[in-house]
Amino acid sequence: MATGIFRATSQQWASRTLRVGAAPKLRTALTGQTLKRSTLSATAQWQQAVRPVLCASFHSSPFRLAPETAANPLKEPPKITAESITVGGKTYKTDSFTNVTPTVLEKTTRQLHLIPTHPIAIIKDLIYSAFPDFKHYETFSPVVTTKENFDDLCFSDDHPGRAVTDTYYVNEKIMLRTHTSAHQLKVMTEADKVLVTADVYRRDEIDASHYPVFHQMEGAQLFDAKTAVDDIRKSIAADTSAVSGSIHTTDTTVITPENPKQDCHDEAAMLATADHLKYSLNMMVRKLFSHEKDLQVRWIDAQFPFTSPSWEMEILYQGKWLEVLGCGVIRQDILINAGKSDKIGWAFGLGLERLALVLFGIPDIRLFWSQDERFLRQFEPSKIQKFKQFSKYPPCIKDISFWSNDDFHENNFCEIVRDIAGDIVEDVQLIDEFTHPKTKKRSVCYRINYRSMDRNVTNAEINELQEKLREEVVQRMKVELR
Ligand code: DAH
């Protein structure tokens, strides 16, 4: 069974529902998001999959210094020991929740969205240009509290996003942000029109469109609740931004008890805010997809803990509906906590990789992290141009089969693969599984596709990695090789 369903930068993560006891590969129809729940305690997970890596990496930290100097503390290489982790110049204690790995922490120094010729930054700048007088935030540390990432945004205590299988924890209360919404409350205390761009981190599987780090942009705009209807009407009427091409929108959304107006909101103000939100985002995608003459957009109902009502926007691109963003009317509790109780507002969140992959025609999400000049030299600030494929190095394919156990979780397996082989892994696929009729034991076979973006890999080198993987999965996941 292929695992390569497009998810890259799904916004639905926050909205996904939990289906306990389901097959390990259940995905939502829209997003391809895998729905799964941790079956292990945090401590067991840490012991099983992560702690050995952290401890092993203590003496031989693999971090490379980023080319820029240390003016930005995030450019300093993270330090990692069994007792503490230093990221962005701050040190945090580890505990039984800790599951961040050196490979992933290393990515915090890269800051792709700040490199003007990088596709991620080019998309970012184009979106900025659609929101001319918004305040930008783009250098927040990726280390946030669970309060900022979840509690402040009204996530329930048992929301699956909190699971240690899905999220990177520095310790029980400190984590790598899983979305830019983690900064929403803070920035709204400072301004009424905000855009936050940042790298976000989620434990995931491995293939051409899944990577444990990607980039998101969060936007929010607030209005005076009392005058919102008038202010919004005037602001849309006064909008003179030139857009080329037409846009066809289908909006089948309805305000229902499943996707309700908040009791505290005046209906007219809420509807005006929703109109302004959809209008602003339609204009934004019209700008991004300027080469599409006749852009088709559809709006559908959604659910997020921090907005109500909530929607998603999809775009018809090369015959397929592409999920672009999640958005909605901000929960008033969040505005009250931000000291903005007299306002009403909208927010949206979108994934930059997802847009960059299709707009630049980039075939593999790992390319965004490539340091190969043949990639980096192709792009210019503010310009979308098609990626020109340079010769790919040959792949090296290896299979691993084992009897899994009740504690087995695919994300933990992928984490081990990533730790051992890093970006040399292009793809991990579950190619076979069966349950033994007598013993009822479940056997799985994973195919690992090793391929470097930057060089030829030798069979001998891959054999060595595969051997290490075989040893580590037995040791850390307590599975039995076949
Ligand atoms: N934070 C959401 C995610 O990563 C995306 C999102 C949805 C952001 C709706 C928003 C919003 O601000 O209103 O899944």
Side-chain angles (χ1 to χ4, degrees):
M1 188 195 329
T3 61
I5 300 174
F6 201 97
R7 192 267 329 167
T9 54
S10 166
Q11 285 75 38
Q12 267 60 37
W13 165 86
S15 72
R16 67 187 158 179
T17 44
L18 180 66
R19 313 234 309 248
V20 184
K25 277 280 177 292
L26 258 184
R27 290 159 188 283
T28 62
L30 263 174
T31 67
Q33 185 76 48
T34 312
L35 306 173
K36 49 204 163 184
R37 152 91 104 189
S38 157
T39 48
L40 283 178
S41 73
T43 317
Q45 301 239 0
W46 153 253
Q47 281 163 353
Q48 186 188 68
V50 180
R51 170 142 244 172
V53 184
L54 260 186
C55 299
S57 66
F58 175 28
H59 294 295
S60 57
S61 169
F63 301 125
R64 264 168 291 141
L65 256 174
E68 288 84 350
T69 49
N72 174 356
L74 287 171
K75 287 288 178 191
E76 283 174 35
K79 285 196 201 84
I80 184 164
T81 73
E83 287 79 38
S84 71
I85 287 171
T86 306
V87 193
K90 281 200 178 154
T91 301
Y92 309 89
K93 277 212 162 78
T94 59
D95 66 14
S96 62
F97 271 73
T98 312
N99 66 356
V100 282
T101 63
T103 329
V104 126
L105 282 177
E106 183 189 12
K107 298 289 189 290
T108 62
T109 61
R110 296 285 302 277
Q111 307 278 292
L112 303 183
H113 60 290
L114 301 181
I115 304 169
T117 52
H118 196 285
I120 296 295
I122 296 171
I123 300 286
K124 174 197 81 174
D125 286 334
L126 277 168
I127 302 177
Y128 281 177
S129 71
F131 296 98
D133 47 357
F134 278 52
K135 187 166 177 191
H136 303 167
Y137 297 83
E138 40 188 40
T139 54
F140 286 133
S141 166
V143 181
V144 299
T145 60
T146 50
K147 179 174 177 295
E148 289 166 312
N149 200 85
F150 298 123
D151 308 340
D152 284 352
L153 293 163
C154 315
F155 277 68
S156 63
D157 285 347
D158 62 352
H159 192 281
R162 294 182 188 255
V164 282
T165 44
D166 292 30
T167 293
Y168 288 104
Y169 283 91
V170 172
N171 63 39
E172 188 181 357
K173 295 268 157 40
I174 307 281
M175 56 181 285
L176 298 185
R177 70 182 149 232
T178 56
H179 55 172
T180 41
S181 310
H183 303 289
Q184 219 189 72
L185 197 150
K186 179 182 161 39
V187 297
M188 289 189 318
T189 62
E190 294 178 10
D192 286 351
K193 294 179 177 185
V194 291
L195 290 167
V196 181
T197 313
D199 38 337
V200 302
Y201 296 77
R202 295 180 195 175
R203 295 186 80 199
D204 216 329
E205 47 208 53
I206 305 173
D207 63 34
S209 56
H210 292 71
Y211 203 79
V213 192
F214 55 97
H215 296 78
Q216 281 191 336
M217 189 189 293
E218 190 85 3
Q221 176 161 4
L222 312 184
F223 305 92
D224 284 332
K226 285 212 180 86
T227 55
V229 176
D230 245 24
D231 294 349
I232 288 169
R233 195 177 341 106
K234 279 188 204 139
S235 122
I236 295 181
D239 182 17
T240 52
S241 50
V243 287
S244 58
S246 60
I247 180 163
H248 291 278
T249 57
T250 314
D251 189 343
T252 54
T253 63
V254 269
I255 308 296
T256 59
E258 284 74 48
N259 195 18
K261 172 182 99 59
Q262 297 170 52
D263 288 344
C264 55
H265 283 160
D266 168 67
E267 186 166 1
M270 183 279 285
L271 290 173
T273 306
D275 280 351
H276 191 267
L277 165 66
K278 290 176 179 172
Y279 173 82
S280 309
L281 293 173
N282 285 338
M283 298 298 269
M284 183 272 284
V285 289
R286 186 56 278 185
K287 201 161 205 168
L288 264 187
F289 289 79
S290 57
H291 57 286
E292 286 279 295
K293 265 209 207 113
D294 215 5
L295 189 63
Q296 306 264 356
V297 167
R298 74 178 179 197
W299 287 96
I300 50 181
D301 285 300
Q303 276 175 346
F304 300 100
F306 34 91
T307 45
S308 191
S310 312
W311 304 284
E312 280 160 11
M313 175 202 257
E314 294 183 341
I315 284 179
L316 191 62
Y317 195 69
Q318 294 175 346
K320 280 193 202 143
W321 285 102
L322 173 76
E323 173 204 321
V324 172
L325 55 84
C327 62
V329 178
I330 301 168
R331 273 204 185 278
Q332 207 60 22
D333 284 345
I334 302 175
L335 289 179
I336 293 168
N337 287 337
K340 297 282 173 94
S341 50
D342 52 344
K343 304 270 173 166
I344 183 166
W346 54 247
F348 72 85
L350 56 78
L352 293 170
E353 271 80 353
R354 166 163 291 198
L355 288 166
L357 281 169
V358 298
L359 286 168
F360 288 85
I362 292 174
D364 190 316
I365 200 165
R366 291 180 305 162
L367 276 162
F368 292 123
W369 300 90
S370 169
Q371 316 250 30
D372 191 323
E373 290 293 312
R374 291 176 301 170
F375 178 75
L376 297 171
R377 287 249 182 91
Q378 288 196 20
F379 309 106
E380 294 164 45
S382 318
K383 207 166 149 192
I384 291 182
Q385 59 206 84
K386 284 292 169 206
F387 167 69
K388 288 186 216 70
Q389 179 75 59
F390 43 86
S391 64
K392 265 190 160 190
Y393 293 96
C396 182
I397 290 164
K398 302 277 170 197
D399 292 348
I400 179 168
S401 307
F402 49 86
W403 296 108
S404 87
N405 54 36
D406 286 351
D407 289 343
F408 176 76
H409 193 294
E410 192 169 270
N411 282 358
N412 290 342
F413 174 68
C414 287
E415 198 72 60
I416 298 177
V417 179
R418 217 190 291 280
D419 277 330
I420 291 172
D423 284 354
I424 285 182
V425 191
E426 179 168 292
D427 189 62
V428 177
Q429 285 184 15
L430 179 64
I431 55 164
D432 187 34
E433 64 180 321
F434 70 89
T435 305
H436 191 282
K438 283 210 181 108
T439 60
K440 300 283 179 256
K441 282 206 280 189
R442 183 169 161 257
S443 161
V444 290
C445 179
Y446 283 96
R447 173 155 296 169
I448 298 164
N449 184 355
Y450 296 92
R451 190 209 302 263
S452 167
M453 290 273 161
D454 314 321
R455 65 186 177 84
N456 250 319
V457 290
T458 65
N459 199 35
E461 158 190 25
I462 300 305
N463 276 342
E464 216 171 284
L465 292 177
Q466 183 74 2
E467 203 35 57
K468 181 124 197 272
L469 177 68
R470 290 170 65 83
E471 282 165 23
E472 298 272 315
V473 291
V474 171
Q475 208 188 333
R476 296 198 223 163
M477 310 196 85
K478 308 281 176 264
V479 298
E480 201 185 316
L481 292 179
R482 297 194 54 222

